[in-house]
């Protein structure tokens, strides 16, 4: 039986959606799945083949007699440019339509040097990586960018980002799109990390929370397998939830006792410096923890407990099946996870934690670029959008 997403009125994009699972199918099987007349399906399949979205499979499928040609999704039809820009460093990648990384770079790129200098670097890097991987800008179907601050997803413009001076309202999609000749999608960095982790590592999870612990703290929310951004794109900003009204630690938002002000990588590094231990950020903290520094271990486990206090309430409210912890500080591994689990399992309702998994990110540093690629792929290959994508140059 054809699904509602397909049926007699389905376009080529709906046909592509079926084939994106990677399984090769014959024309007869596609007729059965879509409910399309054989002649109509042939026209739409031919359109996808002419654009190289779909190609004949290497192995034919046959039930006897003359083999029937099978068709499959062509992951190499286009490439995607993906960037995860953090507070102090960036990771950039070129991927195919299955999120396989074809080229990748990481660099120290402070976001506070402003939008034009940062985006000029990104443009040059994308162009160099395309050349290295044997592709051209004409093969790029889209560009995905994650930024370390609030983003109005509909316009792709940052909104009052606290650690990004000069970025407020900057037209990132227009700036990059004009120079690279492809559509640009922009989102908050932790949102794309949640997308990447869900897509690549935990596609079976209907409800997932991705917590990034780095210079700041935030979370991405997957609800019913879809990213939840909220009314203004501010969903998941847990870093500014107050963890203790008695703490006089001032947060960069102006309030006191925020989670970010007491448990982020920047906060833990500041406490280590006060104790006479050299540390400037999350990577130093991880290095100290791995070397067995007692003060670093105690502070990072306490940071895990403080983050767990906030997440315990979220577990009771949202009831996720998985909490994934990523970001620089998460590389401390079991030390921060131990603190999280200690508080979440003791403070959340037993029913909410009955099947809850709390784990470190499987993708690590790659979660952001994979998620940025997923954001583009899902947009470009959505049934309605794919009906109007031009052919390959």
């Amino acid at each position: 039986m054809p699904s509602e997403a397909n049926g007699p009125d389905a376009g080529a994009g709906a046909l592509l959606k079926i084939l994106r699972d990677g399984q090769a199918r014959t024309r007869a099987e596609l007729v059965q799945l879509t409910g399309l007349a054989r002649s109509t399906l042939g026209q739409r399949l031919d359109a996808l083949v002419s654009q190289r979205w779909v190609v004949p499979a290497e192995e034919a499928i046959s039930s006897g007699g003359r083999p029937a040609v099978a068709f499959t999704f062509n992951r190499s039809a286009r490439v995607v440019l993906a960037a995860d820009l953090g507070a102090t460093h960036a990771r950039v990648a070129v991927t195919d339509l299955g999120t396989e990384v074809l080229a990748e770079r990481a660099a120290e790129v402070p976001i506070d040097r402003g939008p034009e200098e940062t985006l000029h670097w990104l443009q040059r890097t994308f162009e160099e990586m395309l050349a290295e991987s044997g592709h051209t800008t004409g093969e790029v179907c889209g560009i995905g960018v994650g930024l370390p601050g609030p983003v109005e997803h509909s316009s792709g413009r940052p909104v009052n980002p606290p650690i990004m001076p000069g970025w407020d309202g900057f037209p990132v999609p227009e700036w990059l799109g004009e120079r690279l000749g492809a559509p640009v999608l922009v989102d908050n960095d932790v949102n794309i990390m949640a997308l990447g982790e869900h897509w690549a590592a935990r596609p079976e999870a209907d409800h997932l929370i991705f917590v990034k612990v780095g210079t700041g703290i935030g979370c991405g929310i997957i609800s019913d397998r879809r990213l939840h951004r909220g009314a203004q794109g501010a969903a998941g900003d847990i870093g500014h939830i107050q963890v203790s009204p008695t703490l006089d630690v001032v947060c960069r938002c102006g309030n006191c006792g925020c989670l970010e002000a007491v448990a982020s990588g920047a906060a833990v590094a500041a406490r280590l410096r006060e104790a006479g231990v050299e540390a400037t950020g999350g990577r130093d903290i991880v290095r100290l923890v791995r070397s067995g520094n007692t003060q670093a271990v105690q502070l990072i486990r306490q940071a895990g407990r403080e983050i767990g206090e906030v997440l315990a309430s979220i577990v009771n409210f949202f009831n996720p099946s998985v909490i994934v912890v990523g970001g620089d500080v998460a590389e401390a591994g079991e030390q921060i996870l131990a603190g999280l689990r200690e508080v979440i399992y003791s403070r959340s309702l037993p029913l909410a934690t009955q099947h809850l998994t709390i784990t470190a990110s499987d993708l690590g540093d790659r979660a952001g670029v994979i998620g940025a690629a997923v954001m583009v792929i899902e947009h470009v290959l959505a049934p309605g959008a794919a009906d109007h994508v031009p052919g390959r140059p």
Side-chain angles (χ1 to χ4, degrees), residues 189-213:
D189 59 351
V190 73
N191 281 347
I192 63 171
M193 289 177 176
L195 279 177
E197 192 75 23
H198 184 256
W199 168 280
R202 304 185 183 279
E204 77 289 347
D206 291 334
H207 307 284
L208 176 148
I209 294 286
F210 186 99
V211 183
K212 179 188 177 184
V213 187

Side-chain angles (χ1 to χ4, degrees), residues 55-343:
V55 293
E58 292 180 359
E59 297 181 5
I61 299 174
S62 175
S63 57
R66 183 179 177 181
V69 177
F71 296 88
T72 188
F73 175 55
N74 180 17
R75 292 163 45 132
S76 302
R78 308 287 192 282
V79 293
V80 177
L81 303 181
D84 178 14
L85 303 181
T88 59
H89 57 276
R91 183 170 291 271
V92 186
V94 179
T95 81
D96 67 10
L97 295 176
T99 71
E100 181 179 347
V101 175
L102 308 176
E104 186 176 23
R105 285 191 192 177
E108 297 298 319
V109 183
I111 200 74
D112 61 6
R113 67 183 185 177
E116 295 205 7
E117 187 175 349
T118 302
L119 294 177
H120 270 301
W121 172 85
L122 185 58
Q123 176 194 350
R124 291 193 304 271
T125 303
F126 276 146
E127 290 169 343
E128 291 168 4
M129 292 171 64
L130 281 169
E132 289 170 9
S133 60
H135 296 282
T136 67
T137 54
E139 296 174 89
V140 176
C141 68
I143 303 164
V145 180
L147 295 175
V151 173
E152 183 183 60
H153 184 66
S154 60
S155 69
R157 299 189 177 202
V159 181
N160 296 319
I163 62 171
M164 300 169 62
W167 286 82
D168 184 29
F170 189 86
V172 177
E174 292 84 355
W175 197 100
L176 269 180
E178 288 172 5
R179 289 160 176 79
L180 292 170
V184 180
L185 299 178
V186 185
D187 207 338
N188 174 264
D189 59 351
V190 73
N191 281 347
I192 63 171
M193 289 177 176
L195 279 177
E197 192 75 23
H198 184 256
W199 168 280
R202 304 185 183 279
E204 77 289 347
D206 291 334
H207 307 284
L208 176 148
I209 294 286
F210 186 99
V211 183
K212 179 188 177 184
V213 187
T215 303
I217 298 176
C219 78
I221 304 166
I222 300 293
S223 178
D224 280 333
R225 297 175 179 260
R226 304 182 69 170
L227 183 64
H228 176 74
R229 294 185 173 93
Q232 306 300 327
D237 195 0
I238 64 171
H240 300 290
I241 294 175
Q242 190 180 57
V243 291
S244 175
T246 61
L247 290 175
D248 59 358
V249 181
V250 179
C251 181
R252 57 192 167 97
C253 72
N255 291 323
C256 291
C258 291
L259 178 64
E260 184 175 299
V262 300
S264 66
V268 173
R271 290 184 190 177
L272 284 169
R273 289 195 300 273
E274 290 171 2
V277 180
E278 185 177 346
T280 58
R283 294 179 182 180
D284 289 333
I285 296 166
V286 172
R287 174 180 54 80
L288 289 164
V289 168
R290 288 177 175 174
S291 67
N293 182 282
T294 304
Q295 290 169 305
V297 169
Q298 290 175 340
L299 285 172
I300 205 65
R301 186 168 290 215
Q302 181 57 31
R305 295 188 188 100
E306 287 159 342
I307 297 168
E309 290 281 350
V310 171
L311 291 180
S313 297
I314 292 173
V315 167
N316 285 332
F317 175 78
F318 178 63
N319 188 204
S321 57
V322 182
I323 294 175
V324 180
V325 184
D328 285 349
V329 179
E331 296 296 321
E334 286 303 315
Q335 296 296 345
I336 192 167
L337 291 175
L340 278 165
R341 292 174 178 140
E342 176 187 333
V343 176

